[in-house]
């Protein structure tokens, strides 16, 4: 079969979210519909999902992400004041970026943007089956100016994260199977963005400089992940 024929046959046999394609600076940027990918993640991981409610903190869950001050503070925000455990579900989002080569000589790179939820325990989050793609940021090597390169990167991010942004503004209805199937409204705050030093620098529009303490701050910091956003810790 030709490639198109093979893909057509696979779509008939397996459900596949339709890929969106957007052209930015003559580069094609591929992204996936967030709600479809979120539902697919829930369908695969519902047995491992923890029910996060305003009263689920301070119990014997160890150092899991949902058992944290950040999560308690999130419920106090106006966006989540009307949270009802019977009709809503809290799914804090974790984003991950890391550029990788696509050919033997590493001349062409691609940066996948993936997500999972902190409602899964650590063991589940370390399982590749419980991560989903949001899109791919292509290489900007054709752009020599560093400002143009950063602008291209953030334009790609804006396209890839657009569905997610809309889902935060208007919480989508998702299906959760837990003994019985029920439809609930998903609350989707961003909890963590993971990446290496280069990805973090690019996200923050930081000038490229690997001298001094940048490496220590990004890679060898030994502070607990529970207090990384506390400047006094």
């Amino acid at each position: 079969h030709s490639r198109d024929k093979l893909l057509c046959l696979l779509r008939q046999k397996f459900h596949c979210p339709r890929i969106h394609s957007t052209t930015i600076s003559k580069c094609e940027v591929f992204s996936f519909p967030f709600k479809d990918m979120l539902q697919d993640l829930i369908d695969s991981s519902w047995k491992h999902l923890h029910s996060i409610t305003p009263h689920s903190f301070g119990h014997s869950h160890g150092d899991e992400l949902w058992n944290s001050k950040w999560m308690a503070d999130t419920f106090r925000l106006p966006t989540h004041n009307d949270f009802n455990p019977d009709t809503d579900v809290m799914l804090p989002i974790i984003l991950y970026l890391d550029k990788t080569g696509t050919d033997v000589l590493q001349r062409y790179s691609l940066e996948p943007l993936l997500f999972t939820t902190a409602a899964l325990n650590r063991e589940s989050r370390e399982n590749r089956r419980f991560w989903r793609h949001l899109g791919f940021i292509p290489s900007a090597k054709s752009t020599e100016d560093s400002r143009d390169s950063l602008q291209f990167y953030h334009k790609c991010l804006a396209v890839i994260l657009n569905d997610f942004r809309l889902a935060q503004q208007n919480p989508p209805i998702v299906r959760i199977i837990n003994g019985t199937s029920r439809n609930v409204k998903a609350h989707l705050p961003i909890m963590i963005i993971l990446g290496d030093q280069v990805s973090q620098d690019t996200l923050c529009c930081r000038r490229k400089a690997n001298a001094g303490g940048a490496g220590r701050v990004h890679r060898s910091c030994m502070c607990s992940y529970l207090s990384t956003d506390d400047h006094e810790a």
Side-chain angles (χ1 to χ4, degrees), residues 50-73 75-76 226:
H50 178 77
S51 177
I52 305 175
T53 69
H55 309 292
S56 61
F57 310 108
H59 303 296
S60 57
H61 297 304
D63 60 351
E64 285 297 346
L65 294 176
W66 62 72
N67 192 31
S68 62
K69 183 178 182 296
W70 182 92
M71 199 71 255
D73 291 341
F75 276 111
R76 297 191 187 101
L226 295 175

Side-chain angles (χ1 to χ4, degrees), residues 48 64 120-128 130:
H48 307 274
E64 285 297 346
L120 295 171
N121 60 25
R122 180 175 179 178
E123 182 180 0
S124 299
R125 297 196 309 272
E126 291 176 352
N127 188 331
R128 63 182 179 84
F130 300 137

